[in-house]
Amino acid sequence: MGNHILTIEKTTDNRFLNMYNLHYENKVGRKKLYHIASRGRDIDALKISTRKNTPDGVIIYSIYGEKRDRMVLVRQYRLSIDDYIYELPAGLVDEGETYAQAGARELKEETGLDFEPLEVDEMYHKPFFTTIGMTDESCATVYGYASGTVSADGLEDSEQLEVVLADRAEVRRILKEENVSMNCGYLMMHFLHHTEEDPFYFVSQE
């Protein structure tokens, strides 16, 4: 017999993120306590309850410039590390939005840039879990081209970030020297090896 959850208790009441206690019995019959964070507003909204992997957020991998030679990054201050970290533009998915719509909205808000989404097979932009050891959060990834002029007009007061249009040399430097989120780091590695003809070679249809 494996682990199974007995009861769930919500311990905070915040707008965007809450803590839950999972009371469970482990595989040898001992009762244990596990803590998770979730963007679910209540117990019924947890993925434990819905059994559906509905994305909480969207991550935007976008290429900028006529030569398709720059990657859109954000250098953002994060309280969890009291430091700056390089990330992909990202944000929460509003109810009723498609991944592409959420990506376009979030890119515009964070960077001022316009977004032309790429159509890819579902397996490339289906939601994946972020840090499953402590949260049920999952995010979908959208791919496409960015254009326009960088602007900070759409940022909230709590957001402290700088838009970086990084070429390959800068991407290489960032990977070597800076704090980088995991999903951003992996896509930066793809960017280092893409061709100008097809920067999204790794999600191309066969």
Side-chain angles (χ1 to χ4, degrees):
M1 187 174 182
N3 296 341
H4 67 280
I5 294 170
L6 302 171
T7 60
I8 304 172
E9 175 190 8
K10 184 182 179 185
T11 63
T12 62
D13 189 22
N14 299 313
R15 182 180 177 188
F16 295 114
L17 185 70
N18 282 289
M19 297 295 299
Y20 293 84
N21 288 339
L22 307 184
H23 300 270
Y24 74 101
E25 189 174 282
N26 70 12
K27 63 182 180 181
V28 295
R30 293 179 181 170
K31 290 182 170 57
K32 307 285 284 185
L33 175 63
Y34 196 84
H35 308 283
I36 66 165
S38 177
R39 296 194 182 278
R41 64 189 178 278
D42 52 39
I43 293 172
D44 289 341
L46 296 177
K47 294 181 177 66
I48 289 171
S49 302
T50 66
R51 298 294 171 175
K52 295 179 181 178
N53 185 9
T54 304
D56 301 285
V58 64
I59 298 163
I60 306 112
Y61 175 43
S62 55
I63 302 297
Y64 182 87
E66 292 183 4
K67 296 182 179 179
R68 298 177 174 178
D69 60 349
R70 283 179 282 177
M71 183 177 180
V72 181
L73 306 174
V74 292
R75 179 179 177 267
Q76 184 163 198
Y77 173 80
R78 291 295 193 179
L79 285 164
S80 57
I81 58 173
D82 188 27
D83 203 351
Y84 284 86
I85 185 169
Y86 284 82
E87 302 176 75
L88 295 175
L92 299 179
V93 177
D94 290 341
E95 188 173 351
E97 280 187 320
T98 66
Y99 305 159
Q101 288 170 340
R105 176 181 54 77
E106 286 292 345
L107 191 72
K108 190 69 173 179
E109 290 175 2
E110 289 196 354
T111 71
L113 299 174
D114 298 315
F115 184 61
E116 180 186 344
L118 190 72
E119 289 189 13
V120 300
D121 189 274
E122 174 66 18
M123 71 177 180
Y124 294 117
H125 70 189
K126 63 177 280 192
F128 292 129
F129 291 99
T130 54
T131 311
I132 196 62
M134 63 182 184
T135 179
D136 67 352
E137 181 191 60
S138 67
C139 290
T141 306
V142 292
Y143 311 84
Y145 296 99
S147 61
T149 304
V150 170
S151 169
D153 291 346
L155 293 179
E156 298 178 4
D157 291 343
S158 59
E159 291 180 301
Q160 189 172 331
L161 65 81
E162 167 194 356
V163 179
V164 179
L165 303 177
D167 60 15
R168 285 187 178 88
E170 179 63 2
V171 164
R172 191 178 298 276
R173 185 199 68 78
I174 292 168
L175 284 170
K176 289 181 178 180
E177 301 176 5
E178 304 287 352
N179 294 323
V180 182
S181 71
M182 181 177 286
N183 51 49
C184 182
Y186 283 135
L187 287 167
M188 289 169 78
M189 294 175 199
H190 278 294
F191 176 76
L192 286 178
H193 298 285
H194 84 240
T195 63
E196 291 183 4
E197 293 77 18
D198 187 11
F200 298 103
Y201 69 96
F202 61 98
V203 294
S204 296
Q205 299 282 354
E206 294 184 0

